[in-house]
């Protein structure tokens, strides 16, 4: 009996061991990959980070307005928005896989990872202010409550990432081993274009630091001047062919233009062009008007001679008007729609620029105007407008004729009016692209003047930032509250000014 008991005990131990082994093996799902090619991860990150046209951000930029209150509003009573941790995790994984595989063919993914991290942290700090950066993405080291870095330190780290990415990309390209990668649908793998994007992004970051241009720690002017002075070391975008943009394909369900014939009945009649944008175009008698907007219905029905090419036939809706008034104005034919041919005829629409050559030109023009770098501000100002015209297939002769005939558009020189011209033209070139860059420019400079009216649900104010996500309070409460106390006296308020714009 004792012998039998020993056998049973031993059998039990063996079964227990076997069951433990089986349990451990079940932790690995054979249908779930644990590794992924860097190229595939890059594709996913680029999809996650792309900005679309005709979304709520573009209403906040005052490019268009809703006249149908069920679907949208423009009251500026927003609250929180999301961080970029999901994309950052995938970028981190891309780095891990590129390091695991090794070789020159995977080195560009490590270089681009630095850029993409800077892009993510820039997006976050522009929205919130202070954010976790130096201690973020450290869950592998059991740090689940990263500190919030002061916004100045965030910008310093962003610039360091971009500088490292640019110098490493230059060294890689100079070695002449390869200039193409896989998984990149933005530039079709062209590393020379990535190099230009990295440096053009540095210009975007530096120009957004204009209120801290004299900060000795940041060296904004010195860094900007160095980029402009050396195209060999710091190439930037040279034409619209270098634009970092999403190209839509109407034949692919997941990559169709947001408008297009399939959405025409749903959204065309419920939205109008915004007055802040369209009325600025018509005030300058700008030929882009006819490419972007439709004449008001009253001009058509009244058969006004030559109505399609009369600037008086185009009218935008005021962002500050209440939706019932906008709806009435639209029903009576007083407001312009977006251009039928351009935006609703095909599923491919037009590319959505994320960062483009026109912006780069205007950033350089602004920096020269401010005295940060030598050069001719008017030349870059005109290049920027020409590039925007070209995006709408308006050639250089059209630009030359318009510029010569429009004294109001001609650069007024190194004075307040000249700066306003540069900033207004950059705003116009941002139409339906570059995410919230138009709003960020308004927040930084006040140009153009945004419309504030009775529809504003934020006490007749345009907000200055977004609230931190509720998830931060749930998972990192002490750190987020410390950041709010440091920046805003303890109140997480959309109208509080972050360091960047003080």
């Amino acid at each position: 009996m004792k012998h039998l008991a020993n056998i049973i005990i031993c059998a039990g131990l063996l079964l227990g061991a076997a069951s433990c082994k089986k349990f451990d093996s079940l932790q690995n799902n054979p249908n779930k990959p644990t590794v992924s090619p860097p190229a595939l991860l890059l594709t996913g990150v680029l999809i996650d980070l792309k900005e679309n046209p005709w979304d709520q951000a573009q209403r906040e930029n005052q490019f268009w307005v809703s006249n149908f209150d069920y679907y949208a509003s423009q009251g500026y009573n927003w609250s929180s928005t999301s961080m970029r941790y999901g994309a950052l995790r995938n970028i981190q994984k891309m780095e891990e896989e590129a390091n695991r595989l090794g070789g020159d063919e995977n080195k560009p993914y490590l270089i681009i990872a630095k850029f993409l991290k800077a892009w993510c942290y820039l997006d976050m700090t522009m929205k919130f202010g202070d954010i976790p950066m130096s201690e973020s993405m450290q869950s592998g080291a059991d740090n689940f409550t990263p500190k919030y870095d002061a916004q100045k330190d965030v910008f310093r780290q962003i610039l360091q990432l971009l500088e490292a990415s640019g110098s490493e990309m230059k060294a890689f390209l100079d070695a002449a081993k390869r200039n193409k990668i896989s998984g990149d649908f933005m530039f079709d793998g062209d590393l020379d274009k990535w190099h230009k994007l990295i440096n053009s992004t540095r210009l975007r970051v530096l120009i957004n630091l204009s209120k801290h241009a004299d900060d000795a720690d940041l060296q904004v002017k010195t860094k900007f001047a160095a980029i402009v002075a050396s195209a060999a070391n710091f190439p930037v975008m040279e034409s619209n062919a270098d634009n970092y943009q999403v190209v839509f394909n109407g034949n692919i369900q997941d990559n169709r233009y947001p408008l297009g014939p399939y959405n025409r009945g749903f959204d065309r009649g419920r939205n109008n062009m915004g007055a802040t944008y369209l009325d600025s175009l018509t005030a300058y008698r700008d030929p882009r008007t006819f490419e972007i907007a439709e004449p008001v219905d009253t001009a058509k029905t009244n058969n006004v001679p030559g109505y399609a090419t009369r600037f008086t036939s185009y009218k935008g809706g005021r962002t500050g008007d209440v939706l019932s008034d906008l709806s009435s104005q639209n029903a009576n034919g007083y407001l312009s729609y977006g251009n039928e041919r351009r935006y609703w005829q095909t599923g491919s629409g037009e590319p959505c620029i994320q960062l483009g050559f026109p912006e780069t030109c205007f950033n350089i023009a602004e920096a020269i105007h401010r005295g940060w770098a030598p050069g001719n501000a008017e030349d870059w100002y005109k290049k920027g407008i020409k590039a925007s015209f070209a995006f709408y297939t308006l050639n250089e002769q059209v630009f030359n004729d318009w510029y010569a005939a429009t004294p109001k558009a001609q650069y007024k020189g190194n004075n307040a009016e000249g700066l306003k011209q540069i900033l207004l033209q950059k705003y116009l070139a941002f139409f339906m692209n570059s995410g919230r860059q138009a709003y960020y420019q308004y927040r930084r400079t006040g140009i153009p003047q945004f419309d504030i009216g009775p529809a504003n649900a934020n006490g007749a104010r345009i907000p200055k930032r977004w609230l931190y996500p509720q998830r931060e309070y749930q998972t990192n409460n002490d750190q987020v509250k410390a950041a709010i106390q440091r920046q805003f006296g303890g109140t997480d308020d959309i109208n509080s000014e972050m360091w960047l714009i003080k």
Side-chain angles (χ1 to χ4, degrees):
M1 183 68 70
K2 184 176 180 180
H3 180 66
L4 181 60
N6 287 337
I7 292 173
I8 293 172
I9 291 169
C10 289
L13 290 170
L14 287 171
L15 286 170
S19 65
C20 288
K21 184 175 181 181
K22 184 178 180 182
F23 181 78
D24 288 342
S25 68
L26 286 173
Q27 303 311 296
N28 297 320
N29 182 352
N31 296 315
K32 183 177 180 179
T34 57
V35 296
S36 182
L40 186 60
L41 288 161
L42 175 62
T43 302
V45 170
L46 295 179
I47 291 172
D48 286 346
L49 294 181
K50 70 181 178 70
E51 303 276 6
N52 282 319
W54 302 99
D55 63 4
Q56 182 60 30
Q58 306 303 340
R59 290 190 183 91
E60 291 157 3
N61 291 336
Q62 302 204 354
F63 288 141
W64 68 329
V65 295
S66 173
N67 60 56
F68 194 74
D69 62 3
Y70 185 81
Y71 291 101
S73 67
Q74 39 267 344
Y76 288 104
N77 58 337
W78 63 53
S79 56
S80 65
T81 187
S82 59
M83 296 281 199
R84 289 292 193 180
Y85 293 134
L88 285 165
R89 281 191 291 270
N90 287 327
I91 295 166
Q92 190 176 60
K93 186 63 177 177
M94 184 174 75
E95 287 181 302
E96 292 173 3
E97 292 302 301
N99 278 317
R100 180 181 66 83
L101 294 170
D104 285 330
E105 67 273 20
N106 289 302
K107 190 171 182 179
Y109 296 103
L110 297 173
I111 298 170
I112 290 172
K114 287 185 173 69
F115 166 80
L116 292 172
K117 284 191 282 189
W119 188 274
C120 288
Y121 287 118
L122 178 64
D123 177 72
M124 291 161 61
T125 194
M126 293 292 282
K127 290 175 179 174
F128 303 110
D130 293 4
I131 57 168
M133 184 171 181
S134 61
E135 292 186 2
S136 69
M137 311 309 296
Q138 292 182 359
S139 59
D142 292 332
N143 183 359
F144 299 101
T145 56
K147 72 173 184 180
Y148 276 61
D149 295 323
Q151 191 172 41
K152 175 180 173 179
D153 292 329
V154 172
F155 270 96
R156 186 157 43 190
Q157 292 173 79
I158 288 169
L159 288 170
Q160 288 169 352
L161 281 170
L162 291 173
E163 288 162 14
S165 182
S167 62
E168 290 174 20
M169 185 66 82
K170 182 180 187 305
F172 184 84
L173 291 170
D174 285 348
K177 292 180 179 178
R178 63 179 66 236
N179 70 341
K180 295 281 285 187
I181 57 169
S182 301
D184 166 28
F185 61 85
M186 301 291 274
F187 287 136
D188 194 27
D190 189 329
L191 293 177
D192 289 299
K193 290 187 177 181
W194 275 101
H195 195 196
K196 293 177 182 178
L197 171 63
I198 292 165
N199 291 312
S200 297
T201 302
R202 288 180 66 194
L203 297 184
R204 172 187 278 184
V205 174
L206 291 166
I207 208 70
N208 273 290
L209 287 164
S210 64
K211 289 185 178 292
H212 300 277
D214 294 319
D215 190 307
D217 295 330
L218 296 171
Q219 298 182 324
V220 172
K221 298 177 184 178
T222 301
K223 290 176 179 179
F224 203 108
I227 296 169
V228 173
S230 180
N233 291 316
F234 308 111
V236 298
M237 293 177 175
E238 299 176 88
S239 72
N240 283 337
D242 294 327
N243 286 348
Y244 183 51
Q245 63 187 16
V246 177
V247 177
F248 296 95
N249 185 334
N251 296 319
I252 301 175
Q253 178 73 24
D254 292 335
N255 191 36
R256 300 192 307 188
Y257 195 69
L259 302 185
Y262 34 80
N263 280 333
R264 185 185 184 283
F266 176 79
D267 56 28
R268 184 177 183 271
R270 297 171 180 176
N271 297 280
N272 299 107
M273 301 297 296
T276 304
Y277 170 73
L278 184 59
D279 292 4
S280 294
L281 280 182
T282 59
Y284 280 76
R285 304 183 63 81
D286 192 312
R288 286 174 288 187
T289 301
F290 311 128
E291 302 298 320
I292 291 166
E294 292 282 337
V296 296
D297 286 342
T298 52
K300 301 176 188 178
T301 56
N302 293 336
N303 200 25
V304 176
Y307 70 88
T309 55
R310 285 176 176 261
F311 290 100
T312 53
S313 297
Y314 296 81
K315 184 67 178 176
R318 286 167 46 90
T319 296
D321 285 354
V322 296
L323 281 168
S324 59
D325 288 345
L326 288 168
S327 180
S328 176
Q329 293 167 39
N330 179 66
N332 289 319
Y334 296 152
L335 301 178
S336 290
Y337 296 120
N339 188 287
E340 173 87 16
R341 168 183 51 80
R342 187 172 191 89
Y343 302 116
W344 280 278
Q345 194 169 68
T346 75
S348 297
E350 66 185 20
C352 183
I353 299 170
Q354 313 294 293
L355 192 156
F357 178 58
E359 177 189 348
T360 299
C361 293
F362 291 122
N363 287 341
I364 295 173
E366 180 181 346
I368 293 171
H369 183 99
R370 291 182 182 276
W372 296 3
N376 188 315
E378 183 177 20
D379 285 349
W380 286 102
Y381 168 71
K382 291 168 69 175
K383 282 182 184 180
I385 304 174
K386 275 191 265 191
S388 181
F389 271 44
F391 182 80
Y392 296 104
T393 66
L394 300 170
N395 62 35
E396 189 167 352
Q397 189 58 54
V398 173
F399 166 79
N400 290 337
D401 292 345
W402 167 77
Y403 194 75
T406 314
K408 186 175 182 178
Q410 294 163 12
Y411 181 61
K412 299 298 187 290
N414 190 24
N415 50 46
E417 184 61 28
L419 179 60
K420 182 178 178 180
Q421 289 177 302
I422 293 168
L423 295 171
L424 177 62
Q425 287 298 329
K426 184 162 68 166
Y427 172 78
L428 297 177
F430 276 142
F431 180 70
M432 291 304 155
N433 67 70
S434 302
R436 289 185 168 89
Q437 292 303 313
Y439 159 76
Y440 293 146
Q441 176 180 282
Y442 163 79
R443 183 178 68 178
R444 175 174 66 93
T445 69
I447 297 173
Q449 182 176 338
F450 272 21
D451 181 47
I452 302 173
N456 185 285
N458 183 41
R461 294 169 293 183
I462 304 295
K464 301 292 179 65
R465 56 182 294 276
W466 281 260
L467 304 183
Y468 288 109
Q470 190 61 33
R471 186 177 180 84
E472 290 295 294
Y473 291 96
Q474 296 167 345
T475 61
N476 199 11
N477 186 59
D478 290 344
Q479 298 289 1
V480 70
K481 284 189 173 179
I484 293 167
Q485 183 64 45
R486 181 174 61 242
Q487 297 173 95
F488 313 123
T491 303
D492 193 2
D493 185 351
I494 62 173
N495 298 302
S496 294
E497 287 194 344
M498 58 181 69
W499 168 86
L500 178 66
I501 55 174
K502 286 182 178 179

